[in-house]
Amino acid sequence: MVAAATASLAQRQPPTLQVGRDDAHWNGQALGLAPRPLALLVLLAAHTVAGSGLRSPLRGVGDDAEWRAEALQAVEHAAPRAVAQHPALRRWLMQPHTDLAAAFDQALSRLRLVGHGIDWIDERAPGAVAQRRSYRLALPREHIHWLDAPVAAEPT
């Protein structure tokens, strides 16, 4: 009986995440994300694929341009078309914010609610700089798939 249970557990595969232009699917189920939480999910997926963690933005400074630049670089490396496909992500990474850390925290909270009690976001201990935390998805990088969709031309 123990051997059968062990074999059954060994056959279980980690969940898969498919990230598309308008939504993401966790094990085939649409998550129904609003634009900002979807943008954060794209960032988390990019960092997970890159084998790194997404640091939280600096608190109390308003905009954290360094954070935006690092996040943009990670996304462009992991999923080159993602910024073009996700207007909310493009705005978040390319435009200054009055309180980037608060926007990050709010999007992270919404993503956690979508998990319906599943701990799918791995949070690492605070770093030395302004008590930053590092986040990534709690699944292997080979279980993250980017769904490319045709990118519409920008309005002029």
Side-chain angles (χ1 to χ4, degrees), residues 36-59 64 66-75 89 92-93 100 104-105 107-108 111-112 121-127 131-137:
R36 174 106 6 115
L38 179 59
L40 180 57
L41 182 60
V42 170
L43 288 173
L44 289 168
H47 278 273
T48 303
V49 167
S52 63
L54 173 65
R55 296 182 303 130
S56 58
L58 280 172
R59 306 212 177 287
D64 185 350
E66 180 183 332
W67 180 88
R68 289 188 296 110
E70 288 175 6
L72 179 61
Q73 182 180 14
V75 170
L89 178 62
W92 209 15
L93 297 180
L100 185 59
F104 179 91
D105 291 343
L108 185 63
L111 267 183
R112 284 192 162 134
I121 300 173
D122 182 21
E123 182 176 341
R124 306 268 164 101
Q131 296 298 307
R132 287 186 178 192
R133 294 186 179 271
S134 177
Y135 301 89
R136 60 182 293 157
L137 297 175

Side-chain angles (χ1 to χ4, degrees), residues 68-94:
R68 289 188 296 110
E70 288 175 6
L72 179 61
Q73 182 180 14
V75 170
E76 287 177 339
H77 176 73
R81 294 175 55 138
V83 175
Q85 289 182 345
H86 298 279
L89 178 62
R90 183 174 47 249
R91 284 190 303 274
W92 209 15
L93 297 180
M94 297 183 172

